[in-house]
Amino acid sequence: MTTDEFRDDLTALLPRLWRYAMVKCRNPDKANDLVQATCERALSRSHQFQAGTRLDAWTITIMQSIWKNDLRRDSIRRGAGFVDAEDAGLVDTDESAEGKIFLSQVLQAVDKLPEAQKDAVYLVYVQGLSYEEAAATLDIPAGTLTSRLVRGRSKIAEMINDPSERERSIERT
């Protein structure tokens, strides 16, 4: 892959990288900084990218590493509050009102998951990584990823099906 092709492919990933950064940071400014740092590192290490692997998985692994390092080094606090589905670029603005409400409820439930489960759910179900790719990105065994996904799905279903939780979600939308 030439340098120009690598840059073009990386540029095409920017919306997906930004969405993942928003999930991690919950703050547009911090998300922008995280994406920029990820792209800078990816470009400086483009010679390490192996043909035949997924560039999105490779760059998300870089982003995950930067995020963890920043948390350790600077004790960065997460942004306040929930990111609206439309603001995060996760919803089609032509979708029905009921669909938007349901998606908002699902995203709010995902937001309440423990960080490990949230990462697993997002990488597999939003970013579309395979179990193996997501496990490698998170540097965990595939079985651990599967466990996190099962527990995460179960908790999401409980939160969405709990009438008191559903009422609180509707009030926030």
Side-chain angles (χ1 to χ4, degrees):
M1 175 180 293
T2 68
T3 302
D4 288 339
E5 290 172 333
F6 184 87
R7 286 176 192 247
D8 291 345
D9 290 350
L10 184 61
T11 300
L13 286 177
L14 288 175
R16 292 180 64 200
L17 292 173
W18 190 82
R19 283 192 299 265
Y20 186 56
M22 282 294 289
V23 167
K24 301 300 284 176
C25 301
R26 296 192 193 135
N27 176 299
D29 293 330
K30 289 180 181 179
N32 287 337
D33 291 345
L34 183 56
V35 170
Q36 180 176 346
T38 300
C39 289
E40 287 173 355
R41 187 170 296 172
L43 288 169
S44 71
R45 297 181 181 178
S46 62
H47 63 280
Q48 295 176 350
F49 178 72
Q50 296 177 1
T53 60
R54 289 180 55 173
L55 183 60
D56 58 345
W58 188 72
T59 54
I60 289 171
T61 301
I62 291 171
M63 182 178 286
Q64 187 76 9
S65 173
I66 292 170
W67 176 250
K68 284 180 183 178
N69 290 341
D70 284 350
L71 284 176
R72 283 186 210 115
R73 186 186 67 236
D74 301 328
S75 299
I76 294 175
R77 290 186 305 228
R78 293 166 51 135
F82 177 73
V83 176
D84 187 273
E86 289 183 43
D87 292 341
L90 297 174
V91 67
D92 179 1
T93 55
D94 294 333
E95 190 174 336
S96 70
E98 293 84 11
K100 286 181 183 178
I101 290 171
F102 180 73
L103 179 59
S104 179
Q105 290 172 338
V106 170
L107 291 174
Q108 288 176 8
V110 170
D111 188 54
K112 292 177 185 175
L113 293 174
E115 194 72 23
Q117 291 174 13
K118 186 186 318 181
D119 284 342
V121 167
Y122 185 79
L123 289 175
V124 172
Y125 298 117
V126 177
Q127 288 293 342
L129 299 184
S130 70
Y131 282 25
E132 294 80 18
E133 291 166 333
T137 297
L138 296 171
D139 195 25
I140 58 174
T144 302
L145 177 81
T146 303
S147 298
R148 290 177 184 178
L149 289 170
V150 169
R151 287 193 312 269
R153 284 191 310 255
S154 177
K155 286 181 183 181
I156 291 167
E158 287 173 17
M159 286 186 262
I160 289 175
N161 292 323
D162 179 358
S164 63
E165 182 60 37
R166 189 170 42 242
E167 289 299 318
R168 285 192 296 274
S169 294
I170 291 171
E171 290 170 5
R172 289 187 288 247
T173 55

